[in-house]
Amino acid sequence: MISSLLRGDIAVGTSVTIKGWVRTRRDSKAGLSFIQVHDGTCFDSIQVVAQNELPNYADEIQKLGAGCSVICTGELVASQGKGQSMEIQAETVEVVGWVEDPDTYPVQPKRHSFEFLREVAHLRPRTNTFSAVTRVRNCLAQATHRFFHENSFYWIHTPIITASDAEGAGELFRVSTLDMENLPRTDAGKVDYSQDFFGKESFMTVSGQLNVETYCCSMSRVYTFGPTFRAENSNTTRHLSEFWMIEPELAFADLNDDADLAEAYLKYIFKAVLDERADDMAFFAKHVDKEAVSRLENFLSHSFERMDYTEAITHLEKAGKKFEFPVTWGMDMQSEHERYLCEDLCKRPVVVMNYPKDIKAFYMRMNDDGKTVAAMDVLAPGIGEIIGGSQREERLDMLDARLAQMGLDKDIYWWYRDLRKYGTVPHAGFGLGFERAVNYVTGMKNIRDVIPFPRAPKSAEF
RNA sequence: UCCUCGGUAGCUCAAUGGUAGAGCAUUCGGCUGUUAACCGAAAUGUUGUAGGUUCAAGUCCUACCCGAGGAGCCA
């Protein structure tokens, strides 16, 4: 693999074989060609030097272009040229796959717009940017599992199909095997879902939280990491219809424990990227977002500020700054407010805690003041809300009261309520949109460019 | 879903209502231990779709489709 060659794992003078794809070819009429080959194992490609004495030099090597796949064998040598320390002096260059029509091969050795590359999502991993995103995304995912494993969390595989609109978190995608051309009807004329596959209405999950809470109330420390689905018609750079979410859940824990966990987790995965993907991060800092590296370093070197929602409102009122949306206690904070708190006021990540109950979900724990719930948002400079979490309501009577207040049918939540009947325990957790974390780390602007095949309204090609 | 901007060569973009162009990529030639090389030449178009106004539409008007940015919703 190219990464191990460039890392210096293999001594100069050794015979090596690499398998990969051609990025560019430059000929020298002195009788040799330079072939840049990449294989995805690291940011850099390696230069293969092919002399015209090779039997297939004229009829094959000189026809190589971007996208061709090759197997090259030769001696690893110190480079005579500038720009790379090592290169391969080819003894054989085997062409495995040609590019059928070089004229229309979309991935040219030049700058492409991300919009265009989205239209060729099957080929965009061959570009510098998307292979770098892919490695960073993988690094964040691996670091996530490592962090939770090292801290005694179990990964719980929560279901993707669900029969309850668990959290009320947005529009759901329906899952059904009913014949849409000929829907069975009840006497009342409604669609008869008792004849559907699961015998009731079913959907794609919007969150694994309620399910993972059940395992939390036995396994103590658990998390989910999987795809979630929202059928919202939102067309922004921050939303996907299908995205990956990380949701840890911690038993015998309160909101402060939750905030501690969020801080430790984010710092762990960001540090992993700086340690393990310096090559890709240098690329992002150079070509995508100048602050990609310094932002993470800054993030790691400061502890999170913590403040109550009420306190945050006071700060906003005293800001002496004109906000587009006026500041009042009880409002849901707009992104301009969140950004003021972390970017202007504190200049570091801020955890805002204890929000008004009316703007938060039913399962969040009611505080003693009767007005606020134990919810928290982690706000980060440059992005705003990156994590949302809460201490869960563990008291059955309080939970039922909240369900009633919000007009929810408590029978639907019968198993969730059982957790409060049988050995209930204070517990807390949070949710992190994985792609948003990848965006934050890489500095990529559009969330559709940090997931291999983005799903969004009117967009599910590939 | 709302607001704003956009859709012209493979890509990135020009073109006052009056002959559809450049750079890069591609192909060919030249030059060079080259570095998204350099020099020269060639080829490349149903101007998003459907209507309309006009002697004449890439350009103006209408509808629709697609894309981008912002807003709302949120992760």
Side-chain angles (χ1 to χ4, degrees), chain A residues 2 21 23 37-45 107 114 117 120-140 273 276-284 288 438 442 444 449-452:
Chain A
I2 292 172
W21 293 263
R23 196 151 260 153
V37 180
H38 70 96
D39 69 358
T41 56
C42 58
F43 181 80
D44 288 316
S45 51
V107 184
F114 293 142
L117 290 170
V120 288
H122 58 311
L123 298 174
R124 66 179 184 171
R126 301 176 182 210
T127 64
N128 279 333
T129 303
F130 285 89
S131 60
V133 166
T134 303
R135 283 184 295 269
V136 168
R137 183 183 169 107
N138 176 71
C139 177
L140 286 165
V273 170
E276 297 164 27
R277 292 266 55 106
D279 56 348
D280 295 318
M281 289 309 295
F283 169 80
F284 288 121
V288 175
V438 183
T442 58
M444 295 291 287
D449 295 329
V450 297
I451 188 169

Side-chain angles (χ1 to χ4, degrees), chain A residues 218-387:
Chain A
S218 162
M219 311 299 287
S220 297
R221 294 176 163 215
V222 295
Y223 70 106
T224 72
F225 185 0
T228 49
F229 308 86
R230 308 254 170 114
E232 301 284 356
N233 187 14
S234 51
N235 294 285
T236 79
T237 55
R238 303 177 306 284
H239 292 84
L240 290 166
S241 308
E242 176 180 309
F243 63 99
W244 287 60
M245 190 149 62
I246 292 153
E247 296 170 290
E249 197 72 28
L250 200 56
F252 301 98
D254 62 17
L255 194 61
N256 279 311
D257 300 320
D258 203 25
D260 289 344
L261 179 68
E263 180 165 353
Y265 165 67
L266 286 176
K267 287 184 171 175
Y268 185 97
I269 61 170
F270 290 171
K271 182 168 189 305
V273 170
L274 288 177
D275 289 348
E276 297 164 27
R277 292 266 55 106
D279 56 348
D280 295 318
M281 289 309 295
F283 169 80
F284 288 121
K286 190 171 175 198
H287 292 291
V288 175
D289 179 353
K290 283 190 179 62
E291 290 167 15
V293 172
S294 60
R295 182 170 49 236
L296 292 190
E297 289 171 343
N298 196 43
F299 193 102
L300 292 179
S301 61
H302 293 86
S303 64
F304 291 10
E305 180 74 35
R306 295 186 194 189
M307 66 173 73
D308 273 358
Y309 169 90
T310 304
E311 202 183 334
I313 292 294
T314 308
H315 282 303
L316 289 169
E317 285 169 344
K318 288 195 297 196
K321 193 179 163 178
K322 189 80 182 164
F323 292 110
E324 189 188 340
F325 294 89
V327 177
T328 53
W329 196 97
M331 68 163 190
D332 211 353
M333 273 189 234
Q334 303 294 323
S335 56
E336 57 172 344
H337 304 134
E338 298 179 341
R339 295 185 72 133
Y340 170 81
L341 291 173
C342 59
E343 289 171 13
D344 298 340
L345 183 68
C346 301
K347 296 184 172 27
R348 55 177 164 154
V350 178
V351 188
V352 180
M353 307 167 94
N354 300 310
Y355 282 79
K357 65 177 167 59
D358 292 332
I359 57 172
K360 291 292 177 182
F362 74 90
Y363 51 75
M364 298 186 176
R365 190 179 193 277
M366 183 66 70
N367 288 324
D368 293 341
D369 62 13
K371 296 192 305 190
T372 61
V373 291
M376 65 157 193
D377 282 348
V378 179
L379 314 178
I383 192 174
E385 181 185 337
I386 188 167
I387 277 180

Side-chain angles (χ1 to χ4, degrees), chain A residues 432-446:
Chain A
L432 168 79
F434 185 55
E435 284 75 18
R436 288 191 179 174
V438 183
N439 259 11
Y440 184 71
V441 167
T442 58
M444 295 291 287
K445 301 279 183 299
N446 195 315

